[in-house]
Amino acid sequence: MTESRPPGWYDEPSGVRSQLRWWDGRSWTPVTRARAPFETLPEDRPGFLRPPRDVLDSARRARPGPRRGLLLGLLAAAVVAVLLVAGLPGGGTGEERRVDAGPGRTGLATPPEPAPTPPRAVTGRVVDRVAKLSYDVLPGDWREWDRDSFDGLLSTIGYYRITQESAPNAETYWANVTSGPVSPRVAVPGDLRGSGSRLVETLADAYYPPHTRHQVAERQLTVDGAAAYLVRYLAVFDPVRAEGYSAKSEEVAVLVVDTGEPLPSVLYVSLPDTVRSLWPSVDGLLSSVRIVR
């Protein structure tokens, strides 16, 4: 799995629209700041289903209402009035009207870049109350998922481990065990197999080097009494087009589960051969999945 994103201020991943969080080039830091008035609010994703307020994103603030437009209008009128007064005769010379930018005033100066923060370790078991899935943490050192949601998912929770710091195109490569609700853009209503197939294609196109699929296994199964569909395969990378990657293949499992919600949820496992010793643990991981009720 790969991702490339430079350090900087980005939209708050928890969904707080009025706040930005610092990305240090590898993970999210605890450093945040308020969104400045001139910085555009992010657009809502079409079909995004917000989870109940008593789950993982309970701190999410309400969307701004019509009052925001009124406040912006009043602010604009006040700015125009100040400019008019400053331009009137007797308003003082240009030197006298110059704004003092001394220590007594605050502005929108960019703060110094925060220092990188150590990743938070993950052990035991993951409980994803948005996707309504829980599952075990594989052996070894893992960090809590702190990156953007995967393409094809509405949200992403779980854990990962960086396996190559400098992959081709200045990307980072990792192993991950993650979960989330399937996006309505990908899900096929009432069809777990169709949803799983489309999600596999979406993830492969977005995150893997050119590859072919081997040992493909697809089957219906039951997860904690719920209907589910599993797609599992070995992705073997093209030796020419994937030159520069430490991994040459990857074990992939996509388990789509009907949790009783309008959209199915998925457990997405992706383990490159640089952590090949974990491949035998995938069966136990899949068996550990439970529905959060």
Side-chain angles (χ1 to χ4, degrees):
M1 300 297 302
T2 58
E3 180 186 57
S4 176
R5 176 168 53 181
W9 294 106
Y10 292 91
D11 295 336
E12 169 60 51
S14 68
V16 178
R17 293 161 59 86
S18 61
Q19 184 169 284
L20 300 178
R21 184 174 294 275
W22 182 261
W23 169 264
D24 65 14
R26 295 179 57 184
S27 62
W28 293 111
T29 73
V31 181
T32 61
R33 69 170 174 84
R35 186 185 298 275
F38 58 81
E39 292 175 310
T40 305
L41 285 169
E43 295 291 335
D44 281 340
R45 288 176 288 177
F48 184 79
L49 300 180
R50 291 176 176 78
R53 293 187 179 181
D54 61 344
V55 295
L56 295 179
D57 67 341
S58 57
R60 179 178 292 156
R61 300 176 185 173
R63 294 180 59 183
R67 289 177 57 85
R68 177 174 174 269
L70 175 61
L71 291 174
L72 290 177
L74 292 175
L75 178 60
V79 171
V80 171
V82 170
L83 293 176
L84 288 175
V85 171
L88 290 175
T93 65
E95 188 66 25
E96 293 170 339
R97 292 196 300 268
R98 186 172 58 195
V99 176
D100 179 14
R105 296 182 59 87
T106 59
L108 294 173
T110 302
E113 296 184 1
T117 55
R120 185 159 58 178
V122 177
T123 58
R125 190 167 178 85
V126 174
V127 178
D128 183 346
R129 299 187 184 278
V130 181
K132 292 192 171 183
L133 295 178
S134 68
Y135 44 93
D136 287 346
V137 175
L138 290 174
D141 297 326
W142 299 93
R143 63 176 66 177
E144 182 181 6
W145 184 261
D146 55 7
R147 298 172 180 261
D148 288 340
S149 292
F150 282 117
D151 191 17
L153 301 185
L154 292 180
S155 63
T156 300
I157 287 177
Y159 54 94
Y160 73 110
R161 176 193 303 181
I162 293 177
T163 59
Q164 186 178 358
E165 292 282 1
S166 301
N169 303 315
E171 295 175 331
T172 301
Y173 207 86
W174 64 70
N176 66 272
V177 178
T178 46
S179 55
V182 181
S183 167
R185 175 175 56 85
V186 174
V188 180
D191 186 353
L192 295 178
R193 179 178 182 178
S195 298
S197 297
R198 293 185 64 179
L199 185 56
V200 164
E201 296 297 335
T202 299
L203 295 169
D205 291 344
Y207 302 109
Y208 295 102
H211 63 277
T212 55
R213 294 174 196 162
H214 297 261
Q215 305 173 18
V216 179
E218 298 187 33
R219 62 188 178 96
Q220 294 179 344
L221 66 160
T222 300
V223 172
D224 196 15
Y229 196 84
L230 174 65
V231 181
R232 187 173 173 180
Y233 64 92
L234 180 68
V236 178
F237 303 156
D238 185 300
V240 176
R241 299 169 65 191
E243 185 178 2
Y245 289 95
S246 298
K248 306 305 176 186
S249 61
E250 189 137 357
E251 175 86 359
V252 180
V254 174
L255 176 64
V256 182
V257 184
D258 180 0
T259 61
E261 296 297 308
L263 294 170
S265 291
V266 65
L267 175 70
Y268 171 40
V269 183
S270 189
L271 303 174
D273 58 16
T274 46
V275 292
R276 183 191 299 268
S277 61
L278 293 173
W279 287 3
S281 302
V282 174
D283 287 331
L285 172 64
L286 296 173
S287 299
S288 76
V289 179
R290 297 291 184 270
I291 306 296
V292 177
R293 296 183 170 91

